[in-house]
mmCIF file of all heavy atoms in Angstrom:
data_model
loop_
_atom_site.group_PDB
_atom_site.id
_atom_site.type_symbol
_atom_site.label_atom_id
_atom_site.label_comp_id
_atom_site.label_asym_id
_atom_site.label_seq_id
_atom_site.Cartn_x
_atom_site.Cartn_y
_atom_site.Cartn_z
ATOM 1 N N ILE A 192 -5.638 0.467 -15.982
ATOM 2 C CA ILE A 192 -4.321 -0.141 -15.694
ATOM 3 C C ILE A 192 -3.315 0.854 -15.108
ATOM 4 O O ILE A 192 -2.175 0.492 -14.826
ATOM 5 C CB ILE A 192 -3.717 -0.807 -16.955
ATOM 6 C CG1 ILE A 192 -3.582 0.220 -18.086
ATOM 7 C CG2 ILE A 192 -4.548 -2.005 -17.397
ATOM 8 C CD1 ILE A 192 -2.790 -0.285 -19.274
ATOM 9 N N LEU A 193 -3.750 2.111 -14.912
ATOM 10 C CA LEU A 193 -2.778 3.126 -14.466
ATOM 11 C C LEU A 193 -2.673 3.228 -12.938
ATOM 12 O O LEU A 193 -2.739 4.301 -12.366
ATOM 13 C CB LEU A 193 -3.119 4.486 -15.080
ATOM 14 C CG LEU A 193 -3.071 4.536 -16.611
ATOM 15 C CD1 LEU A 193 -3.484 5.912 -17.135
ATOM 16 C CD2 LEU A 193 -1.684 4.166 -17.133
ATOM 17 N N SER A 194 -2.527 2.083 -12.294
ATOM 18 C CA SER A 194 -2.272 2.062 -10.843
ATOM 19 C C SER A 194 -0.770 1.822 -10.651
ATOM 20 O O SER A 194 -0.017 1.759 -11.628
ATOM 21 C CB SER A 194 -3.079 0.944 -10.206
ATOM 22 O OG SER A 194 -2.845 -0.264 -10.899
ATOM 23 N N ARG A 195 -0.338 1.657 -9.395
ATOM 24 C CA ARG A 195 1.104 1.492 -9.150
ATOM 25 C C ARG A 195 1.657 0.360 -10.023
ATOM 26 O O ARG A 195 1.008 -0.680 -10.185
ATOM 27 C CB ARG A 195 1.397 1.293 -7.665
ATOM 28 C CG ARG A 195 0.832 0.048 -7.054
ATOM 29 C CD ARG A 195 0.977 0.061 -5.539
ATOM 30 N NE ARG A 195 0.136 1.095 -4.957
ATOM 31 C CZ ARG A 195 0.165 1.452 -3.680
ATOM 32 N NH1 ARG A 195 0.987 0.865 -2.843
ATOM 33 N NH2 ARG A 195 -0.632 2.388 -3.225
ATOM 34 N N ASP A 196 2.866 0.589 -10.567
ATOM 35 C CA ASP A 196 3.361 -0.302 -11.629
ATOM 36 C C ASP A 196 4.571 -1.137 -11.207
ATOM 37 O O ASP A 196 5.412 -1.483 -12.039
ATOM 38 C CB ASP A 196 3.684 0.529 -12.879
ATOM 39 C CG ASP A 196 4.843 1.502 -12.630
ATOM 40 O OD1 ASP A 196 5.352 1.578 -11.483
ATOM 41 O OD2 ASP A 196 5.244 2.187 -13.589
ATOM 42 N N HIS A 197 4.679 -1.456 -9.922
ATOM 43 C CA HIS A 197 5.878 -2.177 -9.457
ATOM 44 C C HIS A 197 6.005 -3.563 -10.084
ATOM 45 O O HIS A 197 7.122 -4.014 -10.343
ATOM 46 C CB HIS A 197 5.870 -2.296 -7.932
ATOM 47 C CG HIS A 197 5.711 -0.994 -7.237
ATOM 48 N ND1 HIS A 197 6.622 0.029 -7.368
ATOM 49 C CD2 HIS A 197 4.736 -0.524 -6.418
ATOM 50 C CE1 HIS A 197 6.208 1.066 -6.645
ATOM 51 N NE2 HIS A 197 5.070 0.751 -6.070
ATOM 52 N N THR A 198 4.887 -4.234 -10.308
ATOM 53 C CA THR A 198 4.979 -5.577 -10.914
ATOM 54 C C THR A 198 5.523 -5.449 -12.336
ATOM 55 O O THR A 198 6.408 -6.219 -12.739
ATOM 56 C CB THR A 198 3.596 -6.253 -10.909
ATOM 57 O OG1 THR A 198 3.085 -6.199 -9.577
ATOM 58 C CG2 THR A 198 3.683 -7.703 -11.361
ATOM 59 N N GLU A 199 5.024 -4.454 -13.067
ATOM 60 C CA GLU A 199 5.497 -4.246 -14.442
ATOM 61 C C GLU A 199 6.996 -3.904 -14.462
ATOM 62 O O GLU A 199 7.710 -4.268 -15.381
ATOM 63 C CB GLU A 199 4.715 -3.093 -15.106
ATOM 64 C CG GLU A 199 3.222 -3.357 -15.284
ATOM 65 C CD GLU A 199 2.399 -2.814 -14.127
ATOM 66 O OE1 GLU A 199 2.658 -3.218 -12.978
ATOM 67 O OE2 GLU A 199 1.509 -1.995 -14.362
ATOM 68 N N ARG A 200 7.470 -3.181 -13.458
ATOM 69 C CA ARG A 200 8.894 -2.824 -13.421
ATOM 70 C C ARG A 200 9.750 -4.003 -12.966
ATOM 71 O O ARG A 200 10.894 -4.157 -13.401
ATOM 72 C CB ARG A 200 9.124 -1.660 -12.446
ATOM 73 C CG ARG A 200 8.673 -0.339 -13.000
ATOM 74 C CD ARG A 200 8.794 0.732 -11.923
ATOM 75 N NE ARG A 200 8.293 1.990 -12.416
ATOM 76 C CZ ARG A 200 9.039 2.923 -12.997
ATOM 77 N NH1 ARG A 200 10.337 2.743 -13.130
ATOM 78 N NH2 ARG A 200 8.492 4.033 -13.438
ATOM 79 N N LEU A 201 9.205 -4.814 -12.036
ATOM 80 C CA LEU A 201 10.029 -5.905 -11.498
ATOM 81 C C LEU A 201 10.123 -7.091 -12.447
ATOM 82 O O LEU A 201 11.147 -7.774 -12.474
ATOM 83 C CB LEU A 201 9.478 -6.368 -10.137
ATOM 84 C CG LEU A 201 9.869 -5.504 -8.941
ATOM 85 C CD1 LEU A 201 9.129 -5.954 -7.691
ATOM 86 C CD2 LEU A 201 11.385 -5.569 -8.675
ATOM 87 N N LEU A 202 9.082 -7.361 -13.212
ATOM 88 C CA LEU A 202 9.126 -8.543 -14.088
ATOM 89 C C LEU A 202 10.343 -8.509 -15.023
ATOM 90 O O LEU A 202 11.102 -9.490 -15.070
ATOM 91 C CB LEU A 202 7.815 -8.693 -14.869
ATOM 92 C CG LEU A 202 6.669 -9.356 -14.075
ATOM 93 C CD1 LEU A 202 5.342 -9.223 -14.814
ATOM 94 C CD2 LEU A 202 6.971 -10.824 -13.784
ATOM 95 N N PRO A 203 10.602 -7.413 -15.747
ATOM 96 C CA PRO A 203 11.810 -7.393 -16.588
ATOM 97 C C PRO A 203 13.092 -7.539 -15.770
ATOM 98 O O PRO A 203 14.064 -8.126 -16.225
ATOM 99 C CB PRO A 203 11.760 -6.015 -17.267
ATOM 100 C CG PRO A 203 10.348 -5.571 -17.137
ATOM 101 C CD PRO A 203 9.790 -6.191 -15.907
ATOM 102 N N HIS A 204 13.077 -7.027 -14.530
ATOM 103 C CA HIS A 204 14.236 -7.151 -13.649
ATOM 104 C C HIS A 204 14.489 -8.636 -13.333
ATOM 105 O O HIS A 204 15.614 -9.049 -13.085
ATOM 106 C CB HIS A 204 13.942 -6.354 -12.379
ATOM 107 C CG HIS A 204 15.136 -6.096 -11.527
ATOM 108 N ND1 HIS A 204 16.213 -5.356 -11.965
ATOM 109 C CD2 HIS A 204 15.441 -6.485 -10.262
ATOM 110 C CE1 HIS A 204 17.114 -5.305 -11.006
ATOM 111 N NE2 HIS A 204 16.670 -5.986 -9.964
ATOM 112 N N PHE A 205 13.421 -9.441 -13.325
ATOM 113 C CA PHE A 205 13.531 -10.895 -13.125
ATOM 114 C C PHE A 205 13.627 -11.616 -14.490
ATOM 115 O O PHE A 205 13.343 -12.798 -14.584
ATOM 116 C CB PHE A 205 12.317 -11.418 -12.354
ATOM 117 C CG PHE A 205 12.412 -11.254 -10.851
ATOM 118 C CD1 PHE A 205 12.032 -10.063 -10.243
ATOM 119 C CD2 PHE A 205 12.883 -12.288 -10.037
ATOM 120 C CE1 PHE A 205 12.102 -9.911 -8.857
ATOM 121 C CE2 PHE A 205 12.962 -12.142 -8.655
ATOM 122 C CZ PHE A 205 12.565 -10.946 -8.063
ATOM 123 N N GLY A 206 13.961 -10.878 -15.546
ATOM 124 C CA GLY A 206 14.214 -11.502 -16.847
ATOM 125 C C GLY A 206 12.982 -11.784 -17.680
ATOM 126 O O GLY A 206 13.049 -12.538 -18.649
#
Side-chain angles (χ1 to χ4, degrees):
I192 58 170
L193 298 177
S194 51
R195 64 190 67 188
D196 65 357
H197 306 299
T198 308
E199 296 94 302
R200 285 174 183 267
L201 279 173
L202 279 169
H204 194 62
F205 277 85

